[in-house]
Amino acid sequence: MTVSDAPLPTLPQARFTGDARPYGGGDPYADHRTEDLPFTHLTDLADRRLGAGVLAANDEFFAERENMLKPGPAEFDPEHFGHKGKIMDGWETRRRRGTDAGRPHPAPEDHDWALVRLGAPGVIRGIVVDTAHFRGNYPQSVSVEAVSLPGSPSPEELLDPGAKWTVLVPRTAVGGHAANGFAVDAERRFTHLRVNQHPDGGIARLRVYGEVAPDPAWLTALGTFDLLALENGGTVEDASDRFYSSPANTVAPGRSRKMDDGWETRRRRDLGNDWIRYRLAGQGEIRAVEIDTAYLKGNAAGWAALSVRDAGTGGDGATGSGSGGDGATDTGGWTEILPRTRLQPDTNHRFVLPDPAVATDVRIDIYPDGGISRLRLFGSLTERGGARLAARHRELGG
C-alpha cells in the first residue's frame, strides 16, 4: 500500500489526551469528554443505513470491528464479561508486545488497522474517533487515511501496494473515554478509509461527516430516481424545529422502523407551522411525491404543502432560509406544487404531479406541527443539472 507523500491539512481542533477516571458507578457518560464540533450537522458517510461497513481488520480479539459503525452511542455494562475478558461495545484489539524479553515493548511503527467502506462516497469535512468507555485501554494515538476506488474493491485490492491513500488525520494523540474530533480540509471524493490505532487498544464509534458526492453516470443510468434521497446527494438545508428528532431522517434510506426514525417537532402553542427546506441532488424535474408518516400515529402532521424553487442557471440552490422559526413563510421565488393536503397517521401518501416541476430547492410545510418520517421526490436530472453534477464529479477527482 502506498500513501501520498503530503498529508492534506487537518484543521485545528481541541484534543483530548490521557486516561479517563476509572468507572465509579452511575451514568457512564457523566464524565465522557466531548465538545461542540462544527461539522457534526453534516451527513455521516459511515452510516450503516447508507451501506457502510468495516471490510477487514488485522485484529479484533476483544471486540468486533463492526461495532464502530453501530448507530447510537456505545453502551457500557460493567458486569459484562466473556471468556476473553471484558466485553466492550466497540473495536478492541489485543495488547501488542515486542519481539523478545530484551525488547518487550511494541516498535514505534506497530499499529492495528481497520478498512472502512463509506456508505456513500463523498467529501469528508470531519471525523470523530470516539473512545467512549475505553478509559485505560484506548489507543495512544490514531491516524486516518482515505482512498477513492471504483466499484466494490476487496480488502486485498485496498491493501494492494498500488492503492494511493491520502492522509486525512496524521498520527495524533487521543484521550480515553472521549469524542476525539478532527476537522478535515480535503476537497476530494473518497470511498474508503483506513483507520489506524497506535499501537493497539479500542475505539467505540467512528463517525465520518461530510457531503455525499454521487456518481452522475449512475444517476443518469437510473433515469428516474429519488432526487431528494441522501444517498443520491439530497440534503436538508434548514428546519424550523429539531426538538425530538432530526429532519435529516426524512431523506434517509428505506422506510422508518420506529417513531424516532423520522422528524417530529415539539407541540406548537401559536398559530405558526413547522417546515423543512431541502437541496436536491441537482437541478431536476420532479414528477411524483411520497410523504410518509410511518410510526407517527398520534403525532403525525395534520396537513402538508410542498413548494419548489429553481435557483436559476447556476443550479446550485439558494442559501437563504425557507421559513422563519415562527412559521412565517418565505415566499420569494417559491412555487407551490402540492397544496395543503390532509395527511393520515402511519401512512405513505403518494401524489402524481399534474405537470413536472423543475427545481433545485424544495420546502415542505406541515400544519400545525407533528412530523413526517420520509419525503421522496421522484424524477430525473435536467440537462443542466446533469452537466453541473458531472463537472463537480470531475473536480473532486471522480
Side-chain angles (χ1 to χ4, degrees):
M1 180 187 305
T2 61
V3 178
S4 63
D5 295 332
L8 289 166
T10 300
L11 303 180
Q13 203 70 53
R15 301 281 183 242
F16 301 109
T17 56
D19 292 349
R21 295 190 302 273
Y23 175 64
D27 179 6
Y29 273 102
D31 60 341
H32 180 246
R33 293 178 285 179
T34 187
E35 62 178 325
D36 290 331
L37 297 168
F39 46 75
T40 54
H41 66 286
L42 298 173
T43 300
D44 180 7
L45 301 174
D47 191 328
R48 291 263 333 158
R49 294 181 299 176
L50 286 176
V54 185
L55 303 181
N58 70 307
D59 186 285
E60 49 184 333
F61 185 85
F62 286 115
E64 298 174 347
R65 63 190 191 235
E66 288 85 0
N67 290 335
M68 284 194 296
L69 305 189
K70 287 168 64 175
E75 298 179 356
F76 180 73
D77 181 352
E79 305 298 326
H80 197 193
F81 284 83
H83 291 292
K84 293 181 179 179
K86 182 73 183 70
I87 296 176
M88 298 293 290
D89 184 12
W91 169 47
E92 185 181 6
T93 66
R94 74 194 76 199
R95 300 185 187 218
R96 280 184 170 269
R97 298 292 186 244
T99 55
D100 52 48
R103 290 172 292 182
H105 302 97
E109 66 275 12
D110 287 348
H111 67 278
D112 293 319
W113 54 264
L115 298 175
V116 176
R117 178 190 63 242
L118 297 179
V123 180
I124 298 170
R125 303 300 185 190
I127 296 172
V128 174
V129 178
D130 195 341
T131 57
H133 317 304
F134 289 95
R135 296 169 177 270
N137 50 349
Y138 59 94
Q140 182 182 40
S141 58
V142 300
S143 60
V144 182
E145 306 153 54
V147 70
S148 181
L149 290 179
S152 303
S154 66
E156 292 74 22
E157 291 171 310
L158 290 166
L159 295 171
D160 185 275
K164 298 186 181 299
W165 291 79
T166 298
V167 177
L168 297 186
V169 179
R171 184 170 176 174
T172 305
V174 294
H177 196 45
N180 301 277
F182 306 91
V184 177
D185 185 12
E187 203 65 26
R188 303 184 195 173
R189 179 181 186 268
F190 295 110
T191 61
H192 294 77
L193 297 184
R194 174 173 159 136
V195 180
N196 306 299
Q197 45 179 340
H198 308 264
D200 53 38
I203 295 172
R205 294 290 188 268
L206 174 72
R207 304 296 186 230
V208 183
Y209 296 101
E211 299 146 10
V212 175
D215 182 354
W218 174 254
L219 298 183
T220 300
L222 291 177
T224 296
F225 60 93
D226 181 2
L227 291 158
L228 196 55
L230 187 60
E231 64 265 36
N232 294 333
T235 57
V236 170
E237 292 282 280
D238 200 1
S240 61
D241 187 286
R242 304 167 189 263
F243 190 83
Y244 284 115
S245 48
S246 171
N249 289 336
T250 62
V251 295
R255 293 198 72 199
S256 173
R257 298 182 179 180
K258 53 182 180 173
M259 190 177 71
D260 66 349
D261 187 20
W263 174 56
E264 182 191 354
T265 73
R266 75 190 80 196
R267 300 188 187 209
R268 276 191 172 267
R269 300 308 187 201
D270 58 22
L271 298 181
N273 73 280
D274 289 314
W275 51 269
I276 307 176
R277 181 165 53 83
Y278 303 90
R279 175 79 55 82
L280 299 183
Q283 187 189 58
E285 188 177 80
I286 305 167
R287 295 188 288 274
V289 175
E290 285 187 356
I291 302 176
D292 198 350
T293 58
Y295 289 95
L296 294 164
K297 298 182 179 181
N299 45 17
W303 294 262
L306 206 63
S307 302
V308 299
R309 178 165 59 186
D310 184 6
T313 57
D316 287 335
T319 57
S321 296
S323 303
D326 59 358
T329 302
D330 168 17
T331 57
W334 293 98
T335 301
E336 189 175 76
I337 61 171
L338 182 70
R340 195 177 302 187
T341 302
R342 188 75 170 95
L343 299 182
Q344 299 299 320
D346 197 24
T347 300
N348 191 24
H349 308 77
R350 290 180 170 175
F351 308 94
V352 176
L353 300 182
D355 297 297
V358 174
T360 56
D361 300 85
V362 174
R363 190 184 71 237
I364 187 168
D365 286 276
I366 63 170
Y367 300 89
D369 54 25
I372 62 172
S373 60
R374 297 290 189 271
L375 176 63
R376 307 296 192 205
L377 303 177
F378 296 101
S380 54
L381 294 171
T382 63
E383 183 177 351
R384 180 183 297 137
R388 290 191 64 83
L389 201 62
R392 176 63 172 160
H393 191 66
R394 291 191 295 271
E395 290 172 3
L396 296 175

